[in-house]
Amino acid sequence: LTNITSTFTASPSVRMSYLVKVTRNLINSAGIASKCLTVPQPMAIVPSLLRASPRALHTTNPAMATIPEPYKWDESFAVFYQQIDDEHKGLFDGIFAVAASPGDAAVLDTLRGNVVAHFTYEEGQYEKIAGYDVAAHKAKHAEFLTAAGGINTPVSTDQVIFMKQWLVDHITNTDFTYKGKL
């Protein structure tokens, strides 16, 4: 977990948010009871969150989506615009491919290209929505590009978890805000 803090160039608040999210997902995935969780020294700034039960962590950040296993797009991520849903499927597949081949630079480069192409298309679509908070949505895209821009091969497990978590959170918390409006 501490690798996320040193690896990504995002702001400290963004990194901390993802550390908490990743911790919660690890707790949920492993079924670890809160009393069994130990807090590493670098994480001491959020001890109450790390010692909390998985339910308490979810309550702390209710907007966090569960990472699906296997990591694959399903209907729960549908925004009901064919091209965008197809692109989201491709992003899920791309992150899955990076996880399967963390040392393959071509796989990582393909994912990067797909992310940029998707963000470009999606931004062009939601810019058409009257009153939509275009600036906030674009800022989230830019934050991800900044944070993920420093990822190189071999891609670490922490980096894969970061990308998985960011995508499921972004679709369910941000992209869903334009459902039914395009």
Side-chain angles (χ1 to χ4, degrees), residues 1-4 7-8 15 17-27 29-30 64-69 71 92 94-96 98-100 102 111 144 148 151 155-170:
L1 291 178
T2 56
N3 288 345
I4 292 173
T7 302
F8 296 109
R15 288 193 310 258
S17 172
Y18 278 98
L19 285 171
V20 170
K21 289 175 183 185
V22 168
T23 302
R24 196 202 95 203
N25 270 327
L26 289 172
I27 290 169
S29 298
M64 190 175 128
T66 301
I67 296 174
E69 283 300 329
Y71 192 70
F92 271 86
I95 293 170
F96 184 84
V98 167
L111 174 61
F144 178 76
I151 297 175
V155 179
S156 72
T157 301
D158 290 339
Q159 292 168 325
V160 169
I161 291 169
F162 166 80
M163 291 186 290
K164 287 179 174 182
Q165 188 68 62
W166 188 91
L167 182 60
V168 298
D169 286 348
H170 183 74

Side-chain angles (χ1 to χ4, degrees), residues 103-178:
D104 190 331
V107 171
L108 180 60
D109 287 342
T110 298
L111 174 61
R112 282 187 177 127
N114 290 342
V115 167
V116 170
H118 168 66
F119 286 175
T120 301
Y121 176 78
E122 185 181 61
E123 289 169 3
Q125 295 304 299
Y126 62 67
E127 285 175 341
K128 300 173 187 175
I129 303 170
Y132 188 76
D133 193 351
V134 171
H137 198 146
K138 283 186 174 185
K140 290 176 183 180
H141 286 172
E143 262 184 9
F144 178 76
L145 291 173
T146 299
I151 297 175
N152 294 305
T153 56
V155 179
S156 72
T157 301
D158 290 339
Q159 292 168 325
V160 169
I161 291 169
F162 166 80
M163 291 186 290
K164 287 179 174 182
Q165 188 68 62
W166 188 91
L167 182 60
V168 298
D169 286 348
H170 183 74
I171 292 171
T172 58
N173 298 318
T174 303
D175 290 352
F176 278 11
T177 64
Y178 62 67

Side-chain angles (χ1 to χ4, degrees), residues 60-96:
T60 303
N61 191 355
M64 190 175 128
T66 301
I67 296 174
E69 283 300 329
Y71 192 70
K72 184 176 175 162
W73 185 93
D74 62 43
E75 290 296 321
S76 70
F77 298 104
V79 294
F80 303 107
Y81 302 104
Q82 189 64 50
Q83 182 167 341
I84 294 173
D85 283 337
D86 287 345
E87 289 178 2
H88 285 162
K89 291 173 191 175
L91 297 179
F92 271 86
D93 292 345
I95 293 170
F96 184 84

